[in-house]
Amino acid sequence: MKKILKVRWITTLLLVVGVVVFFSFKSGDSRSFQIAKNLDIFNSIVKELDMFYVDTLDPNKTIREGIDAMLYSLDPYTEFYPEEDRSELEQMLKASYGGIGSIIRYEPKLKRTVIVEPYENMPAAEVGLKAGDILLEIDGKDLTGNTDVSKILRGQVGTSFQLKVERPGEAKPLDFTIVRKNIQLPFIPYYSKLDNNIGYINLSTFSGNPSKEFKKAFLDLKKQGITSLVIDLRNNGGGLLEEAVEIANYFLPRGKTIVTTKGKIKQASNTYKTLREPLDTDIPIAVLVNSGTASASEILAGALQDYDRAVIVGNRTFGKGLVQVPRTLPYGGTMKVTTSKYYIPSGRCVQAIDYKHRNPDGSVGRIPDSLTTVFHTAVGREVRDGGGVTPDVAVEQEKLPNILFYLVNDNLIFNYATQYCLKHPTIASPENFEVTDADYAEFKEMVKKADFKYDQQSEKILKNLKEMAEFEGYMKDASEEFKALEQKLSHNLDRDLDYFAKDIKNMIAQDIIKRYYFQRGGIIQQLKDDDDLNEAVKVLGNSEEYKKMLSVPETTVIKEKGKETSLVNFNSYRKSSLMIFDYVV
């Protein structure tokens, strides 16, 4: 009997210990338990589906969609790259890949891929491929209906292939032998000395190693005698964080904090400072930005603004203040994961969207200005966080007409440029080229013959308003007014082509010029009538106004315990452990 009681006591004790261990595991390490539990559930779901679902599953596709949905619920920048897509990630990091060096586009109407823009000094341009060429075959394989020809065109550097194309104006297809090269996207597609000794540098990316080319361009412009500088960061989506720091160092003294990263773990926090002697700390600088200026571009623009080193001109930047690093995964995969936020010298973070706090429907919105915080530049100018970098000089952006969108979307401007090039072996320099009235008349005739249709927004809104008026019973009294308004807003292609001729001509000119002078020529054409650049030139041309913009506002003081004190250098508040991150994307 004693033996049985002893066994029962031991059994009860073991059960109690087991329950205590179980609940202490759940309470003490609940996150680990929840992760393990849900991974087990997910694993079971996949196995059950694979065994019992009515149709055969593609495990790669099914699980990949689950992974992508999970990561996108965090933010758009945390992404998974399986082994077969690693080249895509490497291209993003290095701004280079093995290929032919051309922009291509699949045309649904043709069921073919078309050459859109060959890059200068790259294989496509060197062998003679032109914008408008239709890709027929690669190594004898028909490309009809193939929507992803880019995967075939890219490959190992040094390998070759046979390409057959159809060229407008040519009776027979053309054959080309192309050797793939390492395609390095242009870091600085254009720089030049403008009027009044103003230098201009267009910096297109921070991926790869653009700081070296930027330095060469700047020193070359200095030799040409520039006395001020415009840095164009518009539509620059970012790249390597270190490259932004390096370029900032050209204009800021050694030892200045440019950016600080802060993450959940210690290794995700770091402070980046200027390490070398600058090239020029005095030359007046204007930086052009817009809504496409993001990430590393915002670090450079924001740092120069926070140190009152440059006047920022244009529109508010994109607002990406998140840092990503690559993490190696099994089976050759890589995950680009957001590990920290970055903060520019004043202490502000430019991140515009708070992905942690989503709306009930899963959507996210920009942080409202009312919830942003005021920070101060080195001399005390007010700047704010939470919405990109706000320019010192805001330039109202001219809205492009609705008809232009449809002309581009229907390839009418592209096709006209192709036909124009067949008739004109050469054209004037980009600085002197213009679309004449005769050229434009020819374009209008082509548009009319194409039976061009486009959606007028005013007609759409009027139709919706009319339907609502009928629903609410106002139509009877307002019918005459609606008829009069419909007549005034009636579709008139001739009128719209004439009314918006300036914008349409400019787009035609850009497309034509790029056929002869590549990306460099397109930028020259864009700068002919560029509101942002004109404003920057105006600012740099008035030294007194420039200094005033970068000086402490007369009304800005700091009060401490009832008395006014001098402005404090914000860098004295910035401390962080050291850890090198690879890039910001």
Side-chain angles (χ1 to χ4, degrees):
M1 187 68 176
K2 287 182 178 180
K3 218 173 189 181
I4 293 172
L5 288 174
K6 189 176 180 181
V7 169
R8 285 181 177 174
W9 183 84
I10 292 172
T11 304
T12 303
L13 180 62
L14 289 173
L15 285 171
V16 170
V17 171
V19 169
V20 170
V21 169
F22 175 76
F23 279 103
S24 51
F25 168 75
K26 285 190 69 176
S27 58
D29 197 10
S30 61
R31 281 185 55 79
S32 297
F33 173 76
Q34 293 297 328
I35 290 172
K37 181 185 82 171
N38 284 286
L39 284 174
D40 195 23
I41 292 171
F42 181 79
N43 184 51
S44 297
I45 288 173
V46 173
K47 288 182 178 179
E48 293 292 314
L49 287 173
D50 188 50
M51 181 173 291
F52 294 109
Y53 187 69
V54 63
D55 295 322
T56 302
L57 297 180
D58 180 344
N60 290 327
K61 181 182 178 185
T62 302
I63 297 174
R64 175 65 187 270
E65 287 180 353
I67 292 172
D68 289 345
M70 173 181 65
L71 297 182
Y72 191 77
S73 70
L74 304 176
D75 65 56
Y77 313 111
T78 298
E79 297 176 299
F80 168 60
Y81 293 85
E83 185 176 18
E84 59 269 23
D85 292 343
R86 283 182 62 183
S87 60
E88 183 182 339
L89 179 61
E90 289 174 1
Q91 179 189 339
M92 186 187 304
L93 299 178
K94 300 176 182 177
S96 65
Y97 58 94
I100 69 170
S102 175
I103 297 174
I104 60 173
R105 178 172 60 224
Y106 181 76
E107 294 295 347
K109 291 181 181 178
L110 299 173
K111 294 186 179 180
R112 299 280 190 180
T113 297
V114 177
I115 296 288
V116 174
E117 183 183 340
Y119 286 114
E120 192 171 10
N121 300 321
M122 295 297 172
E126 288 175 345
V127 301
L129 287 176
K130 295 182 178 180
D133 286 349
I134 303 167
L135 307 190
L136 302 178
E137 296 177 3
I138 292 180
D139 287 335
K141 182 180 178 181
D142 185 15
L143 300 176
T144 304
N146 190 328
T147 60
D148 199 7
V149 174
S150 62
K151 284 189 176 180
I152 307 174
L153 293 174
R154 292 180 185 177
Q156 189 174 348
V157 174
T159 57
S160 63
F161 62 93
Q162 298 294 317
L163 177 65
K164 180 175 287 187
V165 306
E166 177 186 321
R167 176 169 294 169
E170 295 287 342
K172 296 180 180 180
L174 304 176
D175 292 300
F176 298 92
T177 299
I178 304 179
V179 179
R180 295 182 181 92
K181 290 184 179 180
N182 183 47
I183 306 303
Q184 181 69 65
L185 303 179
F187 301 135
I188 299 178
Y190 178 69
Y191 74 92
S192 179
K193 177 183 172 185
L194 308 178
D195 294 336
N196 301 321
N197 293 322
I198 297 174
Y200 170 88
I201 299 177
N202 185 300
L203 180 59
S204 65
T205 181
F206 285 89
S207 295
N209 192 12
S211 59
K212 287 186 177 180
E213 283 197 21
F214 187 98
K215 182 178 181 180
K216 288 180 183 177
F218 178 66
L219 294 178
D220 184 30
L221 290 172
K222 289 271 285 185
K223 287 181 182 178
Q224 295 180 40
I226 65 165
T227 54
S228 58
L229 177 67
V230 175
I231 303 173
D232 194 344
L233 296 180
R234 291 175 297 180
N235 300 315
N236 184 325
L240 298 174
L241 182 152
E242 291 89 349
E243 289 298 300
V245 176
E246 186 70 18
I247 293 175
N249 197 169
Y250 295 154
F251 307 105
L252 293 169
R254 175 188 289 184
K256 293 290 185 180
T257 297
I258 302 301
V259 62
T260 299
T261 60
K262 296 180 182 179
K264 184 166 60 178
I265 61 176
K266 183 179 180 181
Q267 290 87 344
S269 300
N270 187 25
T271 297
Y272 294 84
K273 296 184 177 183
T274 53
L275 302 176
R276 282 174 271 280
E277 292 302 318
L279 299 177
D280 193 323
T281 57
D282 297 318
I283 190 170
I285 302 172
V287 180
L288 307 185
V289 297
N290 65 5
S291 60
T293 303
S295 193
S297 297
E298 293 173 290
I299 291 175
L300 177 58
L304 293 177
Q305 184 181 57
D306 283 353
Y307 282 114
D308 308 288
R309 184 63 188 87
V311 172
I312 312 300
V313 179
N315 284 164
R316 184 187 291 192
T317 62
F318 182 82
K320 181 180 181 293
L322 304 177
V323 182
Q324 286 77 45
V325 298
R327 299 290 300 174
T328 302
L329 300 176
Y331 302 101
T334 304
M335 181 170 64
K336 178 165 65 70
V337 57
T338 299
T339 57
S340 56
K341 293 181 179 179
Y342 71 72
Y343 300 81
I344 51 180
S346 61
R348 54 182 168 146
C349 179
V350 302
Q351 180 62 26
I353 298 177
D354 184 3
Y355 293 103
K356 186 177 180 181
H357 299 98
R358 292 180 177 266
N359 300 320
D361 63 356
S363 63
V364 289
R366 291 180 69 93
I367 299 171
D369 289 342
S370 58
L371 297 181
T372 58
T373 305
V374 173
F375 292 81
H376 294 88
T377 69
V379 300
R381 297 185 299 141
E382 282 192 3
V383 288
R384 286 183 173 270
D385 66 356
V389 176
T390 301
D392 302 304
V393 180
V395 181
E396 185 177 353
Q397 296 299 295
E398 186 179 348
K399 293 182 179 180
L400 295 176
N402 188 43
I403 187 175
L404 184 56
F405 169 81
Y406 288 96
L407 288 170
V408 171
N409 195 56
D410 286 6
N411 288 326
L412 288 171
I413 290 179
F414 182 81
N415 292 340
Y416 175 76
T418 300
Q419 296 299 322
Y420 183 95
C421 293
L422 293 176
K423 300 175 184 177
H424 301 82
T426 61
I427 62 171
S429 66
E431 292 83 358
N432 299 318
F433 178 81
E434 63 177 26
V435 175
T436 65
D437 291 340
D439 295 333
Y440 193 61
E442 188 177 53
F443 170 74
K444 289 196 294 183
E445 283 302 312
M446 187 196 78
V447 171
K448 292 173 188 176
K449 287 179 182 178
D451 194 27
F452 173 62
K453 305 291 183 186
Y454 64 103
D455 186 15
Q456 287 185 310
Q457 293 300 311
S458 54
E459 286 183 356
K460 217 178 202 179
I461 294 170
L462 180 60
K463 182 182 178 182
N464 292 337
L465 180 61
K466 190 175 180 180
E467 290 174 354
M468 188 56 65
E470 288 176 346
F471 176 76
E472 295 182 346
Y474 295 116
M475 197 61 199
K476 185 177 179 181
D477 295 332
S479 60
E480 292 302 319
E481 286 82 354
F482 270 105
K483 285 180 182 177
L485 194 54
E486 283 174 344
Q487 289 178 353
K488 289 185 178 181
L489 296 178
S490 62
H491 196 91
N492 189 328
L493 180 59
D494 277 320
R495 175 253 179 204
D496 287 348
L497 287 172
D498 289 336
Y499 188 80
F500 297 112
K502 179 184 175 183
D503 291 319
I504 298 172
K505 276 185 173 183
N506 181 52
M507 188 65 73
I508 293 172
Q510 281 203 47
D511 212 323
I512 290 174
I513 288 173
K514 284 193 290 187
R515 310 291 180 105
Y516 300 88
Y517 299 101
F518 302 96
Q519 188 179 8
R520 174 177 55 87
I523 294 172
I524 293 173
Q525 171 62 26
Q526 175 195 328
L527 296 180
K528 289 179 184 177
D529 187 21
D530 190 314
D531 292 337
D532 293 341
L533 180 61
N534 292 339
E535 195 62 42
V537 169
K538 190 187 302 182
V539 169
L540 294 174
N542 187 333
S543 59
E544 291 301 317
E545 186 65 22
Y546 176 84
K547 291 176 183 177
K548 185 177 179 182
M549 283 185 180
L550 299 178
S551 300
V552 59
E554 296 177 3
T555 56
T556 301
V557 294
I558 293 177
K559 292 187 177 181
E560 182 181 2
K561 295 182 181 180
K563 63 180 182 179
E564 295 183 359
T565 64
S566 60
L567 291 166
V568 182
N569 187 324
F570 49 78
N571 281 318
S572 61
Y573 295 104
R574 310 197 57 74
K575 292 182 181 179
S576 183
S577 58
L578 295 177
M579 168 71 183
I580 295 179
F581 280 85
D582 289 332
Y583 61 97
V584 179
V585 294

